Amino acid sequence: MWSRILAILFENLGLKFASLVLALLLYGHVVTDQEREETVPIPVRLSGLADSLAASGDYPQRINARVRGKWRDLTRFSLSPPVLPWDLAAVTSGQFRTMITAGDVQRRAVPAELSKALTVNEVLDPRTVDVRVEPR
């Protein structure tokens, strides 16, 4: 009886192992092809400020955005760290305040190769950038 059980378990072991690997690969493909929605933290980088001006205040270091796409594309987006650049070249001294929209994040933070695969649905928090610009 034990010899029959061992024969069932260990006969064609290579074929059984190959079948298991193939099943796991198929499962991985199916899982990564499903649509998901994740909240992704995206750092904000202020740039382009004139040398004679300085930014102060409590502007956001990062925003949280809700991004929708296939799991493999969301993983690629997270592995190449996204950054939201905000150009302050046209800003003069005083208070600078602007809203961060989903369109801004889509255009500025999502890489070109992922722009058709991922959609930024909304910006969760913070939704504004408040910067005090002062002369140096």
Side-chain angles (χ1 to χ4, degrees), residues 8-31:
I8 290 172
L9 288 176
F10 292 110
E11 271 184 22
N12 299 323
L13 192 59
L15 186 60
K16 291 175 184 177
F17 180 73
S19 299
L20 179 65
V21 169
L22 187 61
L24 289 174
L25 287 173
L26 181 63
Y27 174 76
H29 175 70
V30 169
V31 166

Side-chain angles (χ1 to χ4, degrees), residues 80-126:
S80 61
V83 174
L84 179 63
W86 210 270
D87 189 19
L88 299 177
V91 174
T92 58
S93 63
Q95 187 72 23
F96 172 73
R97 179 181 203 147
T98 186
M99 296 288 294
I100 303 173
T101 64
D104 293 332
V105 177
Q106 182 80 35
R107 280 190 312 277
R108 297 175 182 183
V110 177
E113 64 269 11
L114 293 175
S115 64
K116 292 184 179 170
L118 297 178
T119 305
V120 179
N121 288 339
E122 67 176 313
V123 177
L124 299 176
D125 60 13

Side-chain angles (χ1 to χ4, degrees), residues 4-96:
R4 180 71 181 140
I5 292 173
L6 289 175
I8 290 172
L9 288 176
F10 292 110
E11 271 184 22
N12 299 323
L13 192 59
L15 186 60
K16 291 175 184 177
F17 180 73
S19 299
L20 179 65
V21 169
L22 187 61
L24 289 174
L25 287 173
L26 181 63
Y27 174 76
H29 175 70
V30 169
V31 166
T32 60
D33 206 36
Q34 294 176 350
E35 288 274 325
R36 292 182 175 205
E37 190 169 274
E38 287 186 6
T39 300
V40 180
I42 301 174
V44 176
R45 180 184 306 146
L46 301 179
S47 63
L49 195 60
D51 291 336
S52 61
L53 299 174
S56 64
D58 194 20
Y59 61 89
Q61 298 297 314
R62 71 179 5 130
I63 62 162
N64 290 316
R66 191 172 306 272
V67 181
R68 182 169 188 78
K70 292 185 178 180
W71 187 61
R72 65 173 172 245
D73 296 326
L74 288 168
T75 303
R76 285 178 52 202
F77 182 62
S78 298
L79 289 177
S80 61
V83 174
L84 179 63
W86 210 270
D87 189 19
L88 299 177
V91 174
T92 58
S93 63
Q95 187 72 23
F96 172 73

